[in-house]
Amino acid sequence: MRKDSAALMNTDCEKDTGGKAGFIKDKNTYTLYKTDIQKRNYKMLFYVSFSLLFLGILFLTVNSFFHIFNSGTKYIYLYWVGSSCCMFLLCLWKKQWILNHAIAVLYIYLAGIMISMIISGTYFYRDSASAVMIGCIACMPILLFDKQWRFCLFDISICSLFIIFSFMAKDSSVALIDCVNAFSFCFISCLIGMYTIQLKFLDIRTKYMILEQLETDSLTGLMSRNAAIREIEKYYRSPSSGIGALFIIDIDHFKDINDTYGHLEGDHILIEVAHIIRDSFPETDCKARLGGDEFLVFMKNVEDTARIQTYAESLNQNVREGSFSFNKNLHLTVSIGISLCRECTSFEELYVQADTMLYEVKNQNRNGYKISCEILYLIFDYPHKHYTFKHFEI
């Protein structure tokens, strides 16, 4: 019995863990993590454009005093300054657009910089091998975060273009050195790039796994307490938020179930009740396990009490009529405390009222629900203050 319950419990958890779990198992990681990839490429674009803008200005300033660069190289640095200045300002002024197209923009920007370096290293320095260009190829894995084949294609294209220009502008012996160096570093760059891209994907995946552990109750697959509190408080901070209803749900006599059947079967009951709660409320509602045998449901934009009563009665009925796999003869009931609020300053304000209603239900034979009276009076302008209470007989 215990082994069967444990196996079923594990199966249920794997089946019902939603959100980020499916996120992690999906094979198309690039599509799933595209937002994170764009953000990282945006940051790289921002820092690279700022760095090259600073270096371009520095080189031009030094050259104006010491004349260490030839006239052609000066124009290359002027291009650096101009293109980097434009890209840096775009990152600041058109952040959202750049963020949405960060990978494409970064490729275009880096292609322009690399072509300028190719021209500088071939036509303006014809008598020597281009060490700077080789260094740029070696740095490529740091600059780009994209699909591996696209990264390698870009790297090889830049390397091939450099070799073509080198043979066109330089002596064949010098160009041959450039060719050997370029292909060697391009090969190393592709290997390092593929490895670093895998590490970056792993980093993002780990982040989502940690978030999932923090935001999901590991036993039931519902939201965790802290995640639910954040969502509720975020809802009330929104200027367009309406009336919210908080359901606090407690399994009646759960301690007796644990003492009679054991904690493993008790955990299985929690999983099955979580199933019922999930199926009894719309997907848009926030559903969480607060701890122990206590659950939470938060309904948004409540317009009248009829909707609240309908879902509360439905939940009571679904739990009473539920068939629990390890013990078909077990009859469960739940007690529900409900509070409403239009403008809450904190989760505690809503929770205390619902918790009070819950314990009043428990003091009146359990297996029912109760809605706060004063909050009903204030929100819906009822002519008389009253409690909405319903108890169900088995």
Side-chain angles (χ1 to χ4, degrees), residues 86-271:
C86 291
M87 192 56 61
F88 182 71
L89 293 176
L90 280 173
C91 288
L92 294 176
W93 291 342
K94 296 289 185 181
K95 180 178 179 180
Q96 192 56 51
W97 188 90
I98 295 293
L99 193 59
N100 293 336
H101 305 84
I103 297 174
V105 175
L106 184 57
Y107 270 123
I108 294 169
Y109 174 66
L110 289 178
I113 295 297
M114 289 298 177
I115 290 171
S116 71
M117 292 299 299
I118 289 171
I119 295 171
S120 174
T122 54
Y123 282 94
F124 301 143
Y125 293 94
R126 296 171 181 264
D127 299 327
S128 60
S130 179
V132 176
M133 188 60 208
I134 299 303
C136 290
I137 295 172
C139 291
M140 203 73 75
I142 304 171
L143 304 177
L144 283 164
F145 181 20
D146 192 17
K147 291 181 178 180
Q148 293 176 331
W149 70 265
R150 228 158 31 198
F151 164 79
C152 292
L153 180 62
F154 181 77
D155 211 5
I156 293 169
S157 298
I158 293 296
C159 178
S160 302
L161 195 62
F162 169 63
I163 292 170
I164 291 170
F165 272 69
S166 184
F167 274 104
M168 290 172 59
K170 296 183 179 181
D171 184 76
S172 58
S173 58
V174 178
L176 190 59
I177 296 173
D178 278 342
C179 179
V180 173
N181 289 339
F183 271 125
S184 299
F185 278 89
C186 181
F187 177 74
I188 295 170
S189 175
C190 287
L191 290 180
I192 295 173
M194 288 189 290
Y195 178 68
T196 55
I197 286 170
Q198 286 182 340
L199 289 180
K200 290 172 184 177
F201 275 123
L202 180 62
D203 181 52
I204 295 174
R205 184 176 303 191
T206 303
K207 181 187 78 171
Y208 280 113
M209 290 177 69
I210 294 171
L211 285 175
E212 183 187 2
Q213 291 171 358
L214 293 174
E215 296 183 358
T216 306
D217 178 64
S218 58
L219 179 66
T220 62
L222 298 177
M223 294 178 70
S224 67
R225 177 190 179 95
N226 290 336
I229 291 172
R230 282 196 300 272
E231 183 165 324
I232 292 169
E233 292 185 343
K234 180 182 177 182
Y235 172 76
Y236 280 114
R237 285 197 299 269
S238 172
S240 60
S241 64
I243 299 167
L246 180 68
F247 293 62
I248 301 298
I249 304 155
D250 191 85
I251 302 174
D252 297 329
H253 305 294
F254 185 71
K255 184 178 183 300
D256 295 338
I257 294 172
N258 268 338
D259 293 342
T260 303
Y261 298 103
H263 288 280
L264 185 62
E265 280 73 11
D267 285 347
H268 189 70
I269 288 293
L270 292 174
I271 293 170

Side-chain angles (χ1 to χ4, degrees), residues 18-39 103 145 147 200-201 204-205 207-208 211:
K20 304 294 190 303
F23 213 144
I24 294 166
K25 294 175 183 177
D26 198 296
K27 293 181 180 180
N28 193 359
T29 53
Y30 179 83
T31 302
L32 294 172
Y33 303 143
K34 189 170 182 179
T35 301
D36 295 83
I37 293 170
Q38 296 283 28
K39 286 180 181 178
I103 297 174
F145 181 20
K147 291 181 178 180
K200 290 172 184 177
F201 275 123
I204 295 174
R205 184 176 303 191
K207 181 187 78 171
Y208 280 113
L211 285 175

